[in-house]
Amino acid sequence: MQEREFRLFVGGEWIEPEGGRRFECVSPVDGSTWAMAPYASVQQIDLAVRLAREAFEVGEWSRALPSRRAELMRKLGSLIEQNVDELARIQVQENGKLIREVHGQTLALAKYCYYYAGLAETLHGDCIPLSMPDMLNYTVRVPVGVVAAITPWNSPLSLLMWKMAPALAAGNAMVVKPSEFTPISTLMLAELVEQAGFPPGVFNVVTGGADTGGALVDHQGINKIAFTGSTAVGKKIAEKAGSRLIRTTLELGGKSANIVFDDVNLEEAANGVLAGIFAAAGQTCLAGSRALVHKDVYDEFAKILVEKTERISIGDPQVMATEMGTVACRPQYNKVLAYIDIAREEGAKLLTGGKKPSFASEASLFVEPTIFGNVSNQMRIAQEEVFGPVLCLIPFESTDEAIQIANDTRFGLAAGVWTRDVKKAHKVASRLNAGTVWVNTYRKTNYASPFGGIKESGLGRENGPDTMKEYTEVKSIWVNYGEPIKDPFNPRA
């Protein structure tokens, strides 16, 4: 593929990075450089924020009619549908995720646009009954201002849309900084935003490295930060946001447990467990990286898992028949292999995988789907987020023990429960410390359902109607329709 040089999208214009500074976009499949992304300077980040502020205030985007915002959101959704093949292909080119998964995720972006277009037209406050005579009190929701969105490399457009759709629908302006490993898909989405007719400055994209994101977070013109990424970085962002008392939404790491009881169809549960960890090569915050299995079915379940895992088709993620692609970037690839070594050193039993496939070139970032058995929940491999295709099998004896093990982590993003017992399913789900719990399924999300974590898995929620509250402030308005104030020192008089 011929390299293409991209530009920054700032204030509705495509601008060259200062000094022509760019960085390589490298394919995780073969190590080739396929695009050159622009590296925004501090001055260009400042420009993006200032123009976003201007679009929000002077350009009156925040006061645009809800029907106008909804109209533009629907136009964007339609353009996404028209360009879904290319948007999906570019994301796979960037991070090695399966085209069979990414295509569906990309098509769903349009549904997010349509859903939040509807919410833009139905966002309302309340009329509050007061225990005071002749007073009308009502609330309205107003946008927070300029939103900084910092997105990861594992699902670049999906996790951007989780922020973008409600932020724009509510009337905010945005400056987006995508991961340096997956910047091109976001720049291509910006092309569609431009075609849809959003006012200049409402949506801006600045690309670069960690320093780019840091400069955006530090900018005094930002009113809210929406971040998806590691817990370590999320804590730093929260600290900086706290010092300025600005809002944050943080969707961070996980070490989610998939609990398999002894009353299930083991074949079906195995399919669910494998989908929860290997479908995206383990590179999802909600990955079910710990499989807690009842001791009475542990050996049989482990055997089924290994047999199914060793039949997984690994290869070119652009091919529909492929079932697992690559790790997205070299640093993450090295991290995954390091954790596999750590698991061995800790005494976990390698049941399958654990290395680069024999067919893979040195430049490629393929890692075999890996399962470790007889893992103790105190091991690092069970407590720390690997973010790769590595599954830990942990046996348990009782329901209480399963819940205790599942909750024994600093994370609290998601969990799965596999049982035919309806009472047990509800009981266990109610006691799991996780923002999302799936029963007899796994790794399902939808624009209408809230998603987010507790403990060190984050703050706030994305998706669902309540997300509009994350991007708005409540203004309380009082109207006196009775007698004028007679005593200025006694407002009740």
Side-chain angles (χ1 to χ4, degrees):
M1 178 184 295
Q2 185 177 2
E3 292 180 16
R4 177 183 168 188
E5 292 188 349
F6 286 80
R7 293 175 292 173
L8 303 164
F9 188 63
V10 175
E13 300 288 337
W14 293 96
I15 65 173
E16 281 288 315
E18 281 190 16
R21 187 184 180 191
R22 287 182 167 84
F23 59 98
E24 295 181 340
C25 297
V26 179
S27 166
V29 175
D30 59 16
S32 63
T33 298
W34 61 277
M36 298 297 293
Y39 209 115
S41 67
V42 173
Q43 292 76 16
Q44 289 175 318
I45 294 166
D46 175 67
L47 176 64
V49 176
R50 286 191 289 108
L51 292 178
R53 172 68 55 196
E54 184 177 315
F56 177 75
E57 295 176 348
V58 180
E60 299 188 351
W61 170 246
S62 63
R63 294 183 292 279
L65 291 175
S67 58
R68 174 58 175 161
R69 296 201 297 268
E71 176 189 4
L72 295 178
M73 294 295 292
R74 293 187 178 105
K75 284 184 178 179
L76 178 59
S78 178
L79 287 168
I80 289 171
E81 289 178 330
Q82 295 169 36
N83 292 273
V84 62
D85 291 343
E86 182 65 5
L87 288 173
R89 186 189 66 79
I90 289 297
Q91 289 177 87
V92 175
Q93 181 76 29
E94 289 181 312
N95 67 8
K97 204 170 182 178
L98 296 179
I99 189 66
R100 64 196 289 178
E101 177 179 2
V102 174
H103 193 277
Q105 288 182 339
T106 306
L107 190 58
L109 301 178
K111 296 179 180 179
Y112 277 80
C113 291
Y114 301 145
Y115 179 77
Y116 282 98
L119 291 181
E121 295 180 300
T122 57
L123 183 65
H124 58 78
D126 297 297
C127 186
I128 301 171
L130 300 171
S131 57
M132 302 174 69
D134 302 331
M135 283 288 176
L136 170 66
N137 180 219
Y138 64 93
T139 63
V140 294
R141 288 202 162 269
V142 296
V144 298
V146 178
V147 176
I150 302 176
T151 56
W153 42 257
N154 56 326
S155 293
L157 293 190
S158 291
L159 295 176
L160 168 58
M161 190 58 73
W162 287 17
K163 302 159 181 56
M164 175 182 174
L168 295 183
N172 299 283
M174 297 189 75
V175 181
V176 179
K177 190 275 174 185
S179 166
E180 59 268 37
F181 298 109
T182 55
I184 304 304
S185 56
T186 300
L187 290 168
M188 294 187 70
L189 183 63
E191 294 177 357
L192 302 186
V193 172
E194 181 183 29
Q195 291 178 37
F198 282 82
V202 169
F203 184 81
N204 308 270
V205 180
V206 292
T207 56
D211 57 331
T212 310
L216 185 58
V217 167
D218 289 340
H219 201 289
Q220 297 298 307
I222 296 298
N223 301 106
K224 175 184 170 68
I225 303 168
F227 170 77
T228 298
S230 73
T231 296
V233 175
K235 287 180 178 180
K236 294 178 181 178
I237 289 174
E239 183 178 357
K240 291 186 175 185
S243 69
R244 307 209 308 271
L245 293 179
I246 63 173
R247 288 191 174 204
T248 58
T249 299
L250 304 173
E251 202 270 278
L252 308 177
K255 198 66 187 178
S256 302
N258 237 335
I259 305 173
V260 180
F261 287 96
D262 58 350
D263 62 346
V264 295
N265 180 302
L266 296 183
E267 289 280 342
E268 294 175 1
N271 288 337
V273 169
L274 293 180
I277 183 63
F278 294 144
Q283 297 170 110
T284 61
C285 52
L286 52 80
S289 55
R290 292 183 300 155
L292 280 51
V293 186
H294 193 280
K295 67 178 183 61
D296 288 349
V297 294
Y298 179 89
D299 290 338
E300 183 180 358
F301 191 71
K303 181 180 178 181
I304 294 171
L305 280 179
V306 169
E307 290 175 349
K308 287 180 176 291
T309 297
E310 291 177 347
R311 293 198 300 268
I312 292 175
S313 173
I314 311 170
D316 185 349
Q318 299 280 8
V319 175
M320 287 297 291
T322 302
E323 295 173 323
M324 199 179 92
T326 68
V327 174
C329 58
R330 180 66 61 177
Q332 188 60 29
Y333 173 81
N334 293 336
K335 177 184 175 182
V336 171
L337 293 182
Y339 267 105
I340 290 173
D341 289 339
I342 289 170
R344 288 191 178 103
E345 293 166 3
E346 290 181 319
K349 182 180 180 181
L350 180 64
L351 301 182
T352 189
K355 62 184 185 302
K356 179 191 283 282
S358 58
F359 70 83
S361 68
E362 183 63 29
S364 68
L365 304 181
F366 290 97
V367 176
E368 291 179 340
T370 300
I371 301 176
F372 282 100
N374 296 325
V375 175
S376 163
N377 201 54
Q378 283 67 51
M379 293 179 178
R380 288 182 63 188
I381 197 72
Q383 287 293 321
E384 299 174 13
E385 187 177 40
V386 177
F387 218 70
V390 180
L391 176 65
C392 300
L393 297 186
I394 303 174
F396 69 87
E397 293 190 11
S398 67
T399 298
D400 286 342
E401 183 186 13
I403 295 169
Q404 185 275 323
I405 294 172
N407 289 339
D408 183 18
T409 171
R410 62 192 177 98
F411 299 108
L413 190 58
V417 180
W418 298 85
T419 179
R420 291 175 175 173
D421 187 330
V422 175
K423 290 183 179 179
K424 181 187 293 183
H426 286 290
K427 177 181 179 181
V428 174
S430 69
R431 293 176 60 191
L432 290 172
N433 296 331
T436 297
V437 179
W438 294 284
V439 176
N440 296 331
T441 189
Y442 201 85
R443 206 167 162 255
K444 302 292 184 183
T445 60
N446 186 268
Y447 49 80
S449 180
F451 183 84
I454 61 176
K455 298 193 283 187
E456 292 195 15
S457 285
L459 297 171
R461 292 294 181 269
E462 298 187 294
N463 301 339
D466 285 347
T467 306
M468 296 290 278
K469 298 177 182 179
E470 301 274 359
Y471 292 91
T472 55
E473 301 281 8
V474 177
K475 180 184 292 186
S476 181
I477 298 175
W478 292 68
V479 179
N480 176 14
Y481 58 87
E483 295 294 325
I485 294 176
K486 297 177 181 180
D487 183 350
F489 302 102
N490 181 7
R492 293 182 179 274

